[in-house]
Amino acid sequence: VASEINDFFSDKIGYVEAFSILEDVRDFNWPDIAPAMNRLAKRNGTFEAFILARTDGLYTRSDSAGNRAQGGLITENNANPSAKPLSIESRPYFKRLVTDNTANEKLLVVSDPNISKSTGEKQIVIATNVIDNRTDKTIGLLAVTVTGSTLEKFLEKTTDDILASFGTDAWITIVSDTDAVISVKKYDAATKAYAEQALSQAKEFGFEALPPDLVEAIKKDRENPGKIQSFHDSKDRGET
């Protein structure tokens, strides 16, 4: 399962890393490249769109013409020429890649789950900063967005044998390196199946959503990568 999840993210990481160094991306020639990127996203089917953002946080999306009066920027009302542009400047991933990246290092971030400013859907953003090859300065970021529903469907396919393998006592979790809980699957007695607890809800989750002993096991795994960790849930009457 871990290998399949890694593969799911790897191709998207490859896209943003490769495309972020294209001349058209560095020059923000979005009208020329957005259609091809949108076709790629649709053909791939496991992510929603590409995003290209400037250093002020204003951005365009490959799946939207945006506000034509403002050069395709995404605004509060794309049909209104004077509408206020939306900004991702406050997003933690943007701050890490652009605002706080004073050394202009080439970085890659898989964001914590958040609610899209454009669509209102829960999403995960995989992004890298765009660097001007003439000045070696960060001039924006390129990203792909993965909706919570898309990731949830993928996880359903990769974890459909949990019940047969582990019975009803397993917890399947995906946790980011910033301790954001991306996905939690646990057994639901009502449906007699493992059900998603986090991606399907329009709110963010932290470690408080997990049993304390599971949190401790995750932390131990980070200290000793590659070793299998077990945990004991005190709520399960002694079961492990």
Side-chain angles (χ1 to χ4, degrees):
V1 173
S3 176
E4 292 181 63
I5 293 173
N6 180 70
D7 291 344
F8 178 87
F9 286 100
S10 291
D11 71 325
K12 296 155 192 62
I13 290 171
Y15 287 143
V16 296
E17 288 183 329
F19 294 163
S20 69
I21 62 174
L22 293 178
E23 185 175 351
D24 280 334
V25 170
R26 287 170 167 167
D27 292 340
F28 287 82
N29 293 331
W30 196 238
D32 293 336
I33 57 175
M37 287 186 163
N38 192 44
R39 288 194 296 271
L40 173 59
K42 288 184 176 180
R43 186 167 64 246
N44 181 280
T46 62
F47 64 94
E48 186 179 23
F50 285 91
I51 290 177
L52 182 63
R54 309 183 321 199
T55 53
D56 57 5
L58 305 188
Y59 65 97
T60 52
R61 288 177 61 101
S62 65
D63 61 347
S64 172
N67 194 314
R68 297 183 185 276
Q70 298 189 42
L73 291 175
I74 302 299
T75 64
E76 293 179 343
N77 180 358
N78 289 329
N80 181 352
S82 60
K84 181 181 177 180
L86 297 177
S87 173
I88 57 173
E89 189 177 20
S90 63
R91 297 293 201 192
Y93 66 85
F94 184 91
K95 292 180 179 179
R96 185 172 175 185
L97 291 170
V98 181
T99 310
D100 298 336
N101 187 13
T102 56
N104 295 291
E105 295 180 85
K106 184 64 172 175
L107 303 172
L108 178 93
V109 171
V110 178
S111 80
D112 298 348
N114 58 75
I115 306 302
S116 170
K117 292 177 179 288
S118 308
T119 67
E121 289 189 73
K122 198 166 194 178
Q123 65 176 7
I124 293 166
V125 177
I126 302 168
T128 189
N129 51 319
V130 177
I131 297 178
D132 188 327
N133 62 334
R134 293 157 294 194
T135 64
D136 292 327
K137 301 290 186 182
T138 293
I139 55 175
L141 68 75
L142 181 72
V144 297
T145 62
V146 181
T147 63
S149 58
T150 296
L151 183 53
E152 184 176 354
K153 289 177 183 176
F154 167 75
L155 292 173
E156 285 177 359
K157 294 179 181 178
T158 57
T159 59
D160 57 5
D161 61 346
I162 298 174
L163 188 59
S165 300
F166 300 102
T168 62
D169 298 324
W171 284 69
I172 305 298
T173 64
I174 301 177
V175 180
S176 76
D177 60 0
T178 57
D179 294 343
V181 176
I182 297 173
S183 171
V184 178
K185 292 178 76 73
K186 58 184 293 190
Y187 186 73
D188 177 35
T191 61
K192 296 183 179 180
Y194 276 85
E196 176 62 46
Q197 309 293 311
L199 286 169
S200 55
Q201 297 191 42
K203 64 178 182 178
E204 297 178 9
F205 289 79
F207 272 176
E208 71 279 356
L210 304 177
D213 296 308
L214 176 54
V215 173
E216 186 64 26
I218 292 171
K219 291 179 178 178
K220 287 181 179 179
D221 179 69
R222 289 177 176 171
E223 295 171 0
N224 300 283
K227 293 185 177 181
I228 296 175
Q229 304 292 336
S230 61
F231 81 98
H232 171 86
D233 188 349
S234 58
K235 294 182 180 180
D236 285 341
R237 297 184 303 237
E239 297 178 0
T240 57

